[in-house]
Amino acid sequence: MNDHSSGSEDYNERLVRIGAGTFATVYVIPQVSD
Amino acid sequence: MTTRLLCLLQQTSFLPNVPMVQQEDLVVKKCKTVDACSTLEAEYFSLITIHHALQERSAFQAPQPVFFTGAEANWEDLPPFPPNDVKRTSVYSMARVLPLPRLLRHQIINTFAPATADKSVFLSKLFIARLLLGRADDAARSAPRQFFSVYNFPLTAADCRTLKLPVADIAREMGRAYAALHMHAGVDARDVKFVLGGRGRRSNGVGNKLGTQMDRLALAVIDFNQVQRWSKHADGITAVVSAFLGK
């Protein structure tokens, strides 16, 4: 699924992988706070 | 975000009038294989169409598209991908659906996590919720969920009522979103996801439309890789209904 939440954080440079579907990987730039 | 990426975003020719989004809001989606790049490209252009179609027509909004770049792009302009994902494929970016506010995240965990779960594991996680208002509530679900995960946390209509979310208002906006997707975007909306996220520092919360309990929340539609255009004629209705029913 094209997820927008923050889950597994297995890369900690500029992009964090937050989800993976069948054909794509989704990253986010982790700057969000409450 | 690198200065190079900022330049790329500002120079993109796909969306010359798209306002810049703050760097903390960006999601970057990268195709896994070269063969699937056309699918990612089609999804991006569906995102553009759907983003515009939903504006002013529903409280559900599609993320702001930012840029698309093909596999042939100069990767010096892109942010560094992890070492296990450096194959040159298509990439696009869009605004992020922000995580739910902490208060609601904790309410979800405290309400639905089984008593045996170590809640501290989940309380620190940021997540959004997937709205599944049409899913029948399983009577067995009155028991604690055996396999608890906060990933795209599924909320049925009953779950929303438990959390005191305005289910009828959300359902109405979902209907409006479907109408906009079908009749303005001209797509069948197959496999799109309706989600509930947070507003963060953005000013476009849905509280003014759906009551104060939604002030810090945002409604969004995501996942457009399976949507297809349809004819808007009678002969296409069967396909749209089929997509709606998930068949």
Side-chain angles (χ1 to χ4, degrees), chain A residues 1-7 11 14-15 18-29 31-34, chain B residues 1 24 26-32 80 82 85 94 96-97 102 105 126-128 151-152 193 222-223 225:
Chain A
M1 176 173 170
N2 182 6
D3 177 45
H4 286 236
S5 59
S6 182
Y11 185 66
R14 306 296 279 175
L15 297 175
I18 59 169
T22 54
F23 77 102
T25 306
V26 183
Y27 300 91
V28 70
I29 300 170
Q31 301 287 333
V32 171
S33 60
D34 288 281
Chain B
M1 184 188 307
E24 63 266 35
L26 280 183
V27 159
V28 177
K29 188 167 184 178
K30 181 179 180 296
C31 204
K32 286 183 175 177
D85 191 15
M94 60 185 159
R96 182 186 189 187
V97 178
R102 181 186 304 164
R105 295 199 312 268
L126 304 178
F127 60 91
I128 60 176
Y151 181 83
N152 291 331
K193 310 295 189 303
I222 58 174
D223 255 10
N225 61 299

Side-chain angles (χ1 to χ4, degrees), chain B residues 82-104:
Chain B
N84 62 354
D85 191 15
V86 294
K87 184 183 295 182
R88 295 196 175 205
T89 58
S90 296
V91 175
Y92 79 73
S93 182
M94 60 185 159
R96 182 186 189 187
V97 178
L98 298 176
L100 292 166
R102 181 186 304 164
L103 185 65
L104 184 55

Side-chain angles (χ1 to χ4, degrees), chain B residues 34-122:
Chain B
V34 174
D35 291 344
C37 285
S38 59
T39 301
L40 193 79
E41 183 173 3
E43 181 180 47
Y44 181 72
F45 286 99
S46 292
L47 168 64
I48 294 173
T49 302
I50 291 168
H51 174 77
H52 289 295
L54 287 174
Q55 286 184 331
E56 307 299 326
R57 296 193 173 98
S58 170
F60 281 92
Q61 296 288 296
Q64 169 82 58
V66 179
F67 76 91
F68 170 86
T69 187
E72 73 287 351
N74 181 355
W75 273 39
E76 291 184 2
D77 289 334
L78 296 175
F81 289 97
N84 62 354
D85 191 15
V86 294
K87 184 183 295 182
R88 295 196 175 205
T89 58
S90 296
V91 175
Y92 79 73
S93 182
M94 60 185 159
R96 182 186 189 187
V97 178
L98 298 176
L100 292 166
R102 181 186 304 164
L103 185 65
L104 184 55
R105 295 199 312 268
H106 289 193
Q107 192 180 358
I108 287 172
I109 292 163
N110 290 325
T111 303
F112 300 113
T116 54
D118 179 1
K119 292 181 182 177
S120 64
V121 172
F122 303 107

